[in-house]
Amino acid sequence: MVQKTKEAMKNILLRLKKAIEDNHAKSNWINIGVMITNIMGLVVNHSISSEYAEAQDMPVIYLSKIAAIIMCGILCWEFICLVGYQNWEKVGKFIQTIAERFVKYFQNHSRKYRIALFMIIILALVLAAGIRKNVRRNYHTTEYYTSVAEVYGFPTGVGDPLDQEELDHRSGYWRIDDYPYRQHTVLTYVDPYQ
């Protein structure tokens, strides 16, 4: 059973190697650039159309997410073929060498030292993740407008945003706080004389 599994894996790897080598000559940076441009266009179209789809209650537009995932998969395959199998072997050997050195380094030190280093790495990762989450959650942009309109249910400023000098000479204005990571927008009317 184990021998059959090894043979099947070896056969799959040989087919993959042959496919990469066959497509290596056909791959180029222009194909990758075209794929990136297409993905960006699809994402922009999706971001514009998603509010419209929600306003019109059309869930079909969300199928474009699947298309973006498929396009990213094709882009990854194109990049793998562009680099070529031989270069990926070199990268794999380099990573293997680094991993072996890392393991030898840990084996040469005491157990207490390894546990302490492991705990420091885990603590640093948890701290970095917490800081990143907090920064992303509280990140927002604020713009001021004389008038606002509603576009697909979202408040949008009309005209150019007001600068500080214009704000000082206005009797009232609208403040739009946009929290992109929360997907939340706050609209407030500001009366400086109250």
Side-chain angles (χ1 to χ4, degrees):
M1 179 74 178
V2 175
Q3 186 66 24
K4 287 183 179 180
T5 306
K6 285 183 180 180
E7 287 178 16
M9 288 298 293
K10 188 175 182 180
N11 192 12
I12 290 171
L13 287 175
L14 286 174
R15 287 183 181 178
L16 185 64
K17 178 181 178 181
K18 185 178 182 320
I20 291 173
E21 288 174 350
D22 289 345
N23 290 321
H24 178 64
K26 300 175 193 172
S27 298
N28 58 36
W29 285 106
I30 293 173
N31 292 346
I32 291 178
V34 168
M35 286 298 295
I36 290 172
T37 305
N38 289 339
I39 291 170
M40 288 173 26
L42 183 65
V43 168
V44 168
N45 184 32
H46 175 72
S47 66
I48 293 170
S49 301
S50 61
E51 288 89 12
Y52 178 73
E54 287 178 10
Q56 300 298 322
D57 196 25
M58 297 181 337
V60 177
I61 196 75
Y62 295 110
L63 291 177
S64 63
K65 289 182 181 180
I66 296 170
I69 291 170
I70 291 170
M71 289 173 75
C72 287
I74 294 169
L75 177 66
C76 291
W77 173 251
E78 186 72 26
F79 181 73
I80 289 169
C81 291
L82 179 68
V83 172
Y85 187 81
Q86 293 170 344
N87 292 330
W88 284 114
E89 274 187 329
K90 292 176 187 175
V91 170
K93 287 178 183 177
F94 176 75
I95 292 172
Q96 184 179 5
T97 304
I98 296 291
E100 288 172 356
R101 287 182 185 173
F102 188 72
V103 168
K104 284 181 184 177
Y105 177 78
F106 265 104
Q107 288 174 345
N108 291 338
H109 289 84
S110 68
R111 180 181 171 148
K112 289 180 183 178
Y113 176 78
R114 288 184 291 199
I115 291 174
L117 188 59
F118 179 73
M119 293 303 288
I120 289 171
I121 291 171
I122 294 295
L123 182 64
L125 290 174
V126 168
L127 188 62
I131 290 171
R132 181 177 180 266
K133 183 177 180 182
N134 191 34
V135 167
R136 285 187 67 180
R137 179 168 171 72
N138 294 322
Y139 172 77
H140 72 281
T141 59
T142 303
E143 292 181 334
Y144 303 95
Y145 294 94
T146 55
S147 59
V148 293
E150 190 174 298
V151 178
Y152 300 125
F154 295 98
T156 305
V158 176
D160 293 330
L162 302 173
D163 59 12
Q164 189 59 44
E165 184 179 325
E166 292 173 323
L167 290 176
D168 293 339
H169 299 343
R170 289 242 169 240
S171 62
Y173 49 87
W174 293 94
R175 181 178 75 208
I176 299 176
D177 296 314
D178 184 25
Y179 295 85
Y181 297 110
R182 290 190 208 173
Q183 297 181 348
H184 182 72
T185 303
V186 177
L187 176 65
T188 309
Y189 183 76
V190 179
D191 187 3
Y193 299 114
Q194 287 187 353

